[in-house]
Amino acid sequence: MFITEWDLIAKEYVLKSAAKPFRKYLTAILPERRRAVQACDSVYKLFHRIINNYRNLDSPIEGTVIDLIMKNPTFKNDENIIASELFLYMVAGHDTTAISVSWILMELGKNPQEQRSLREALSKMKPEEWSKSELLRNVAREGMRLHPVSSHAIARELGRDMITKKGYFLQKGTLAFLPFYVIFRNNEIFEDAEAFLPSRWENPTESMKRAFIPFATGVQNCVGQALANAELHSILARMIYEFDFSVEDEGYPEGSLVFTPVGLRMKATRAKP
């Protein structure tokens, strides 16, 4: 239920209403807008039930995400803010790491030499040191560059007037969209941008560093990026060390919340020691 409702919410509030603010005045005559509003209400009712269930527990487990949110003094027991925080964590944790691993494995399957190089580098290290592998990190960066898991752009309201390098004037208060997919494949920033080249991250330019923002940037960046990177590096290292992957069907990208490789089929065989 949650994913279906969120899909409606994302399309309306993230894509349509963000670009056309006047839509909020047309709810009565736009069926898809009304359905998105209903979906939003339904999702928040779900989180309010979660909050009530937590409060009814005799001895809730300490240290969990919901426990830390519920005990955070900043929220002052405001149920709406708490529900919004829970909503944020639910969305941020929607299979994003697993999907990123899938995309990266696909690229390694298409580029067997890169896969072998990574396996050889890992074999020279102790498993507890794998996360420190610079090649592992570069492979992950390159996979996320080619296949950013977020299917939307991030949006920021400009705090001042500005002029772009190409001479376009952007007025203060303008809502600016930064589409990951377009930025990450910009040949003016990433040479041979369509190619899977982990080596490009051995000595990245300042433009590459500034442009590569898979977890967004600024004070409103992804709250779970440290955990996501730790999971990604751990899972990817173990899978590549243990198995050799080849692609049987690349499938195609699809999604409104996240880009998923629909129809992707891969073959895994035990890697030779």
Side-chain angles (χ1 to χ4, degrees):
M1 184 276 288
F2 174 78
I3 299 305
T4 300
E5 299 295 78
W6 167 247
D7 190 60
L8 293 169
I9 295 169
K11 288 178 179 178
E12 176 59 37
Y13 291 97
V14 179
L15 296 179
K16 298 178 182 178
S17 293
K20 301 175 181 178
F22 62 83
R23 285 179 65 88
K24 65 183 178 181
Y25 303 112
L26 304 176
T27 303
I29 61 174
L30 295 176
E32 67 274 20
R33 168 79 185 182
R34 290 200 305 274
R35 182 66 186 89
V37 171
Q38 293 170 356
C40 194
D41 289 341
S42 176
V43 166
Y44 270 89
K45 287 178 181 177
L46 167 65
F47 288 112
H48 281 293
R49 289 199 299 272
I50 292 174
I51 292 170
N52 290 331
N53 288 338
Y54 171 87
R55 286 177 173 157
N56 291 330
L57 293 174
D58 294 329
S59 54
I61 300 174
E62 295 186 1
T64 61
V65 172
I66 187 172
D67 181 66
L68 295 174
I69 291 175
M70 294 292 290
K71 293 178 179 177
N72 191 325
T74 305
F75 302 143
K76 297 180 180 179
N77 219 28
D78 187 320
E79 286 201 5
N80 288 328
I81 295 179
I82 293 173
S84 296
E85 286 296 307
L86 292 175
F87 189 13
L88 172 64
Y89 275 90
M90 182 73 81
V91 171
H94 171 55
D95 291 342
T96 48
T97 302
I99 293 170
S100 290
V101 169
S102 298
W103 283 121
I104 296 169
L105 288 178
M106 184 192 77
E107 288 296 341
L108 289 173
K110 291 166 57 181
N111 297 271
Q113 181 54 51
E114 298 288 358
Q115 185 177 171
R116 285 192 293 270
S117 296
L118 178 56
R119 187 175 297 111
E120 289 172 5
L122 294 174
S123 67
K124 297 175 182 178
M125 305 173 70
K126 296 179 180 178
E128 57 269 24
E129 297 177 343
W130 283 347
S131 62
K132 299 177 183 178
S133 169
E134 195 59 33
L135 181 54
L136 174 66
R137 293 174 179 271
N138 290 344
V139 165
R141 290 189 189 103
E142 186 67 352
M144 289 191 289
R145 181 190 70 82
L146 280 174
H147 306 283
V149 70
S150 174
S151 60
H152 301 303
I154 57 172
R156 295 290 187 268
E157 184 177 316
L158 300 184
R160 60 179 175 83
D161 293 343
M162 64 181 296
I163 298 177
T164 69
K165 290 183 178 180
K166 294 189 176 182
Y168 295 104
F169 173 72
L170 301 177
Q171 187 175 11
K172 176 182 177 181
T174 299
L175 190 63
F177 287 84
L178 302 175
F180 295 132
Y181 195 90
V182 175
I183 295 173
F184 294 173
R185 293 183 181 234
N186 186 343
N187 278 298
E188 294 182 7
I189 302 173
F190 301 98
E191 186 178 352
D192 197 6
E194 298 295 322
F196 179 74
L197 299 172
S199 59
R200 76 170 78 243
W201 296 103
E202 292 174 2
N203 187 27
T205 65
E206 285 302 315
S207 294
M208 289 170 59
K209 293 177 183 178
R210 289 196 300 269
F212 185 63
I213 49 173
F215 297 101
T217 187
V219 296
Q220 296 185 19
N221 63 9
C222 177
V223 295
Q225 62 178 294
L227 175 61
N229 277 322
E231 290 178 334
L232 180 62
H233 295 150
S234 176
I235 295 170
L236 185 61
R238 174 57 65 181
M239 294 184 76
I240 290 300
Y241 182 77
E242 297 281 354
F243 299 98
D244 185 78
F245 292 90
S246 59
V247 178
E248 296 193 337
D249 188 341
E250 289 187 33
Y252 57 92
E254 182 180 87
S256 58
L257 174 58
V258 292
F259 273 131
T260 57
V262 177
L264 171 64
R265 293 202 315 273
M266 301 191 68
K267 181 179 179 180
T269 57
R270 279 286 177 183
K272 296 179 180 180

